[in-house]
Amino acid sequence: MRVHLQPGAIRALRAIAIVAIVGAFLLALWGQIGDIASHEWRLSWGYIALAIVCALARGPLIALPWWRILQGWGYSLVWWRSLRVYFHSGLARYLPGQYWYVLSRAILAEREGISKSVATAATLVETVIVTGSAGGVALLGLSQVPNWPDGVGALLLAGGILTPIVLAVVAASSVSAHFWDWLMKLLRRPPLVSRLKWQDAIVSLAAAYGNWLLYGMIAVFALAGISPIGSTYLTEAPAIIGCFTASVLGAAVVLFVPQGIVVREGVFVFLLSTLLRVPVPEAVAAAALTRLLATLADGLWAGAALRF
């Protein structure tokens, strides 16, 4: 027997799920209040300043893969205008569903002379590259976690090394072009020039990897900036970056939570405390500070893009 839910019921279920997830995290956090209050804190403003620099430096790298895909396909869009389209459409990520930014970017790109079909296709290819590179960084970083059972670290490392090769082949081979030809034919739309040159695919991948490394370094410096043993965490930077990118990927699965808020933080705290033995209070503070700095930096770039 099939059960058909009305849109109102679906929205209500999503709201209940969001409240349940956020409530569970806050309840768990409440149980740590005593430990957080009594924990020995030592702020290192130099590390926090470095976290801010990394957050701001991500700006151009975040938008570069999408712009380079458009350029590689032969569509012209001024770099600075692409930043405006990218960051303003990115505000839709804060809506339940997370992927509303695809529609928003297509609408904004059309105003710049890029058709919705092209902008959407480029966004989907970019999403594959960005998500795949996050997986690659996560695998490489997690391979550096100490005390894995025999063979686990080597397996993670091999997966991390192979990931960019696979992504480059998919992006720059005929596979991608054939897929878009088939999809456009299915939608009864004109075909796309959608096969990237190798150099375009490699630049897009390099920018995506650079973005994730900087994003992970925000977490590393945030953790070092609030801990009494801050400099010790710098030696574990690869593993921390791996934990962070894995938490971002984990939160992306929960589509109905805007920006994966709370879910990402919960996964990050769990991985840090379980794999690296980071005290829970420090893991919670680092997760919150990383979210705050990254969000403020995105807001600043979105504001600056108004002048582009």
Side-chain angles (χ1 to χ4, degrees):
M1 181 175 119
R2 291 185 178 180
V3 177
H4 296 282
L5 295 177
Q6 297 298 319
I10 294 175
R11 287 194 293 268
L13 288 174
R14 286 176 178 171
I16 291 171
I18 292 173
V19 170
I21 291 173
V22 174
F25 179 81
L26 292 177
L27 186 62
L29 181 61
W30 179 257
Q32 299 290 330
I33 288 295
D35 292 337
I36 292 174
S38 62
H39 190 76
E40 179 187 354
W41 299 100
R42 183 178 300 169
L43 294 181
S44 299
W45 292 107
Y47 289 135
I48 293 176
L50 288 173
I52 294 172
V53 170
C54 290
L56 292 172
R58 286 181 61 231
L61 286 178
I62 296 174
L64 184 56
W66 182 70
W67 177 78
R68 189 71 186 217
I69 291 167
L70 286 177
Q71 295 294 306
W73 287 356
Y75 300 97
S76 179
L77 179 61
V78 178
W79 164 242
W80 294 111
R81 300 294 293 181
S82 73
L83 284 181
R84 182 170 187 170
V85 170
Y86 196 96
F87 281 101
H88 287 185
S89 64
L91 297 175
R93 295 176 188 269
Y94 293 92
L95 298 174
Q98 295 197 50
Y99 292 100
W100 289 109
Y101 75 90
V102 179
L103 176 60
S104 178
R105 192 181 301 174
I107 293 172
L108 293 176
E110 189 174 41
R111 298 175 184 176
E112 302 294 333
I114 305 296
S115 74
K116 290 179 182 177
S117 296
V118 171
T120 301
T123 300
L124 294 178
V125 173
E126 177 231 3
T127 300
V128 171
I129 288 175
V130 170
T131 304
S133 61
V137 171
L139 290 171
L140 288 173
L142 291 174
S143 72
Q144 301 306 303
V145 172
N147 303 320
W148 281 120
D150 291 342
V152 173
L155 187 61
L156 292 171
L157 182 62
I161 293 172
L162 286 174
T163 298
I165 299 173
V166 172
L167 289 172
V169 169
V170 169
S173 71
S174 60
V175 173
S176 178
H178 288 327
F179 170 78
W180 292 117
D181 287 344
W182 170 81
L183 184 60
M184 291 297 104
K185 185 177 180 180
L186 183 66
L187 297 175
R188 297 181 180 179
R189 292 182 175 273
L192 297 173
V193 180
S194 53
R195 183 173 178 177
L196 288 178
K197 296 178 181 177
W198 284 103
Q199 57 264 38
D200 294 315
I202 291 171
V203 170
S204 297
L205 273 170
Y209 270 80
N211 167 51
W212 287 116
L213 289 174
L214 282 174
Y215 209 174
M217 286 306 298
I218 300 172
V220 172
F221 287 130
L223 185 56
I226 51 89
S227 174
I229 58 169
S231 59
T232 302
Y233 288 126
L234 299 183
T235 62
E236 298 180 324
I240 294 171
I241 293 173
C243 290
F244 179 75
T245 49
S247 72
V248 176
L249 288 173
V253 175
V254 189
L255 299 181
F256 51 80
V257 178
Q259 274 282 13
I261 192 167
V262 172
V263 179
R264 187 181 84 186
E265 284 71 28
V267 174
F268 188 42
V269 169
F270 173 79
L271 292 176
L272 285 181
S273 60
T274 303
L275 298 180
L276 299 177
R277 307 300 180 193
V278 175
V280 171
E282 293 181 10
V284 170
L289 183 57
T290 301
R291 168 75 72 173
L292 175 64
L293 294 179
T295 301
L296 289 176
D298 287 350
L300 288 173
W301 275 103
L306 289 172
R307 296 183 174 273
F308 299 156

